[in-house]
Amino acid sequence: MKIKKIYLDMDGVLSDFEARYEYLYKSKPSSMRDKKNFNVNWDDFVHTKQFEQLDWFDGAHDLIRFMHDLHKEGYVIEILSSSGGEKHHESVEKQKNVWLQSKNIPFKIGRAHV
């Protein structure tokens, strides 16, 4: 069976969402999921366009170079990424596309579940 498409996750593979969140809010995002502060922090994270400012995840440069080589060989590469919910879906998707463009990553974002 020939692979036709390769999916890459953005957060935690290409970009370091957790490091940015921890830097801003002094807590891990997973520790806040059941607390109301997460929603406040999440709203702030999105409204201040933090997804556009994420750092590269360790090793992501090498992974992207490898994916570029595969793309040249005819493989379809697509980015999968969650927007965290319908409330901010449009804004998060736009910010993540800005991040990809700023890093010269030409692969499109696929429609992941929210």
Side-chain angles (χ1 to χ4, degrees), residues 12-16 55-63:
V13 175
L14 300 179
S15 63
D16 200 341
D55 290 329
W56 284 92
F57 198 78
D58 287 341
H61 288 99
D62 295 331
L63 177 60

Side-chain angles (χ1 to χ4, degrees), residues 14 40 62 71 73 92:
L14 300 179
V40 172
D62 295 331
H71 184 69
E73 293 177 23
V92 170

Side-chain angles (χ1 to χ4, degrees), residues 75-97:
Y75 289 89
V76 175
I77 312 297
E78 197 166 295
I79 308 295
L80 290 181
S81 194
S82 175
S83 64
E86 287 296 324
K87 180 178 179 183
H88 296 297
H89 176 78
E90 190 174 313
S91 181
V92 170
E93 185 175 41
K94 187 181 295 183
Q95 290 176 45
K96 288 184 175 192
N97 274 308

